[in-house]
PDB file of all heavy atoms in Angstrom:
ATOM      1  N   LYS B 145      96.996  72.860 103.040  1.00  0.00           N
ATOM      2  CA  LYS B 145      96.061  71.727 103.136  1.00  0.00           C
ATOM      3  C   LYS B 145      95.664  71.505 104.592  1.00  0.00           C
ATOM      4  O   LYS B 145      94.509  71.238 104.907  1.00  0.00           O
ATOM      5  CB  LYS B 145      96.724  70.456 102.608  1.00  0.00           C
ATOM      6  CG  LYS B 145      96.655  70.311 101.112  1.00  0.00           C
ATOM      7  CD  LYS B 145      97.208  68.929 100.730  1.00  0.00           C
ATOM      8  CE  LYS B 145      97.797  69.034  99.325  1.00  0.00           C
ATOM      9  NZ  LYS B 145      98.808  68.003  99.085  1.00  0.00           N
ATOM     10  N   LEU B 146      96.642  71.600 105.477  1.00  0.00           N
ATOM     11  CA  LEU B 146      96.365  71.387 106.908  1.00  0.00           C
ATOM     12  C   LEU B 146      95.387  72.439 107.433  1.00  0.00           C
ATOM     13  O   LEU B 146      94.395  72.113 108.085  1.00  0.00           O
ATOM     14  CB  LEU B 146      97.672  71.457 107.711  1.00  0.00           C
ATOM     15  CG  LEU B 146      98.677  70.320 107.518  1.00  0.00           C
ATOM     16  CD1 LEU B 146     100.007  70.664 108.174  1.00  0.00           C
ATOM     17  CD2 LEU B 146      98.119  69.019 108.114  1.00  0.00           C
ATOM     18  N   ALA B 147      95.662  73.701 107.106  1.00  0.00           N
ATOM     19  CA  ALA B 147      94.826  74.795 107.618  1.00  0.00           C
ATOM     20  C   ALA B 147      93.382  74.660 107.141  1.00  0.00           C
ATOM     21  O   ALA B 147      92.436  74.983 107.867  1.00  0.00           O
ATOM     22  CB  ALA B 147      95.408  76.133 107.174  1.00  0.00           C
ATOM     23  N   ALA B 148      93.206  74.116 105.934  1.00  0.00           N
ATOM     24  CA  ALA B 148      91.855  73.959 105.380  1.00  0.00           C
ATOM     25  C   ALA B 148      91.017  72.996 106.219  1.00  0.00           C
ATOM     26  O   ALA B 148      89.778  73.049 106.194  1.00  0.00           O
ATOM     27  CB  ALA B 148      91.942  73.473 103.933  1.00  0.00           C
ATOM     28  N   ASN B 149      91.690  72.139 106.974  1.00  0.00           N
ATOM     29  CA  ASN B 149      90.953  71.166 107.801  1.00  0.00           C
ATOM     30  C   ASN B 149      90.801  71.611 109.248  1.00  0.00           C
ATOM     31  O   ASN B 149      90.429  70.820 110.102  1.00  0.00           O
ATOM     32  CB  ASN B 149      91.690  69.820 107.763  1.00  0.00           C
ATOM     33  CG  ASN B 149      91.563  69.177 106.407  1.00  0.00           C
ATOM     34  OD1 ASN B 149      90.512  69.255 105.777  1.00  0.00           O
ATOM     35  ND2 ASN B 149      92.644  68.571 105.938  1.00  0.00           N
ATOM     36  N   SER B 150      91.099  72.859 109.509  1.00  0.00           N
ATOM     37  CA  SER B 150      90.986  73.356 110.885  1.00  0.00           C
ATOM     38  C   SER B 150      89.711  74.168 111.063  1.00  0.00           C
ATOM     39  O   SER B 150      89.303  74.904 110.154  1.00  0.00           O
ATOM     40  CB  SER B 150      92.205  74.239 111.205  1.00  0.00           C
ATOM     41  OG  SER B 150      91.962  74.965 112.380  1.00  0.00           O
ATOM     42  N   LYS B 151      89.110  74.032 112.232  1.00  0.00           N
ATOM     43  CA  LYS B 151      87.926  74.851 112.539  1.00  0.00           C
ATOM     44  C   LYS B 151      88.273  75.903 113.608  1.00  0.00           C
ATOM     45  O   LYS B 151      87.405  76.613 114.101  1.00  0.00           O
ATOM     46  CB  LYS B 151      86.794  73.954 113.034  1.00  0.00           C
ATOM     47  CG  LYS B 151      86.293  72.990 111.978  1.00  0.00           C
ATOM     48  CD  LYS B 151      84.825  72.653 112.181  1.00  0.00           C
ATOM     49  CE  LYS B 151      84.158  71.982 111.007  1.00  0.00           C
ATOM     50  NZ  LYS B 151      84.991  71.309 110.047  1.00  0.00           N
ATOM     51  N   SER B 152      89.542  75.976 113.939  1.00  0.00           N
ATOM     52  CA  SER B 152      89.971  76.865 115.024  1.00  0.00           C
ATOM     53  C   SER B 152      90.050  78.322 114.562  1.00  0.00           C
ATOM     54  O   SER B 152      90.279  78.598 113.382  1.00  0.00           O
ATOM     55  CB  SER B 152      91.350  76.406 115.499  1.00  0.00           C
ATOM     56  OG  SER B 152      91.946  77.406 116.280  1.00  0.00           O
ATOM     57  N   ASP B 153      89.841  79.218 115.517  1.00  0.00           N
ATOM     58  CA  ASP B 153      90.047  80.652 115.232  1.00  0.00           C
ATOM     59  C   ASP B 153      91.214  81.201 116.041  1.00  0.00           C
ATOM     60  O   ASP B 153      91.379  82.412 116.175  1.00  0.00           O
ATOM     61  CB  ASP B 153      88.774  81.451 115.582  1.00  0.00           C
ATOM     62  CG  ASP B 153      87.802  81.414 114.438  1.00  0.00           C
ATOM     63  OD1 ASP B 153      88.255  81.281 113.287  1.00  0.00           O
ATOM     64  OD2 ASP B 153      86.584  81.512 114.690  1.00  0.00           O
TER      65      ASP B 153
END
Side-chain angles (χ1 to χ4, degrees):
Chain B
K145 277 186 208 156
L146 291 170
N149 290 322
S150 166
K151 295 209 166 21
S152 165
D153 276 332

